[in-house]
Amino acid sequence: SGTSTVDYNFFQKGSIIETTADEINAAADGETQYRLTGVVSSIANAKYGNIYISDYTGQVYCYGTYDAEGNRFDAFQTPVNLYDIVTVVGPKTSYNDSPQMKNVIVENHISVKAATVAEFLAAPEAKNVYYSLTGTVANIANTIYGNFDIVDETGSVYVYGLLQGWGGPSKMFESLGLKEGDKITIVGV
């Protein structure tokens, strides 16, 4: 009689790895499927859906974007726009040594409404309606959490806490290097 211990690592073919932008960019090219949630930070090609998705760790270039029904980006029932929040699934590849995801499927899409400060302030309070605001940083009240005013030509609104990026940690405002007078775009409710 006796005992022994053996450690095993399992990988199920066909499983999807939920991860961050920096981990996708560092991953080996192959058929492994990755799931990434972030903000659409740029649209390089609106026909095919060549987009950049950013989270708190960086950004991933997606070469070709489709919906669950297989429709190309320009034929989506609900168009994906700049600053929308999306969850995509696809493999990691490279082109000319630049990392990318190719032919991703949009699993989830949250529309973000571009608004002026005045439009934002006039909107009803809702925890599930996201807005993008572009303005100037003013009156920084807390450099740990990131409490400050964002000001545009229509008014001023107080921002109570700013994360490093989509899904990012709190209490990291100082690491962003933002100062009064900087122009930024934020996404939130």
Side-chain angles (χ1 to χ4, degrees):
S1 68
T3 61
S4 47
T5 302
V6 179
D7 292 326
Y8 288 97
N9 289 320
F10 291 95
F11 177 78
Q12 179 180 346
K13 190 172 182 175
S15 65
I16 300 171
I17 299 170
E18 192 159 335
T19 190
T20 57
D22 64 340
E23 291 177 354
I24 291 171
N25 287 331
D29 291 359
E31 294 181 25
T32 301
Q33 298 288 300
Y34 295 95
R35 178 177 287 121
L36 173 67
T37 300
V39 174
V40 177
S41 54
S42 178
I43 299 175
N45 184 308
K47 182 175 183 178
Y48 298 108
N50 300 349
I51 61 176
Y52 289 87
I53 300 175
S54 297
D55 69 6
Y56 69 100
T57 67
Q59 68 178 2
V60 171
Y61 179 62
C62 297
Y63 183 77
T65 304
Y66 299 86
D67 66 12
E69 290 78 38
N71 296 312
R72 193 174 64 194
F73 190 78
D74 61 348
F76 282 13
Q77 290 293 325
T78 304
V80 172
N81 298 302
L82 191 62
Y83 304 125
D84 284 359
I85 303 156
V86 294
T87 300
V88 298
V89 173
K92 191 271 182 172
T93 64
S94 295
Y95 179 75
N96 288 338
D97 296 324
S98 294
Q100 63 183 26
M101 293 177 77
K102 188 171 183 180
N103 297 330
V104 298
I105 303 296
V106 176
E107 272 191 340
N108 191 35
H109 172 214
I110 300 170
S111 293
V112 175
K113 298 177 182 183
T116 65
V117 169
E119 292 167 339
F120 176 78
L121 291 172
E125 187 175 322
K127 293 182 180 183
N128 61 347
V129 179
Y130 285 83
Y131 294 90
S132 67
L133 298 174
T134 299
T136 303
V137 174
N139 306 317
I140 297 174
N142 184 301
T143 59
I144 296 170
Y145 290 97
N147 302 347
F148 60 94
D149 292 331
I150 188 165
V151 180
D152 70 8
E153 62 279 352
T154 68
S156 175
V157 65
Y158 188 65
V159 176
Y160 187 71
L162 185 68
L163 303 178
Q164 274 189 316
W166 186 260
S170 63
K171 301 182 185 179
M172 302 294 290
F173 182 75
E174 282 184 311
S175 68
L176 297 174
L178 291 175
K179 59 189 181 311
E180 291 187 14
D182 287 350
K183 188 171 182 176
I184 63 170
T185 298
I186 60 173
V187 172
V189 294

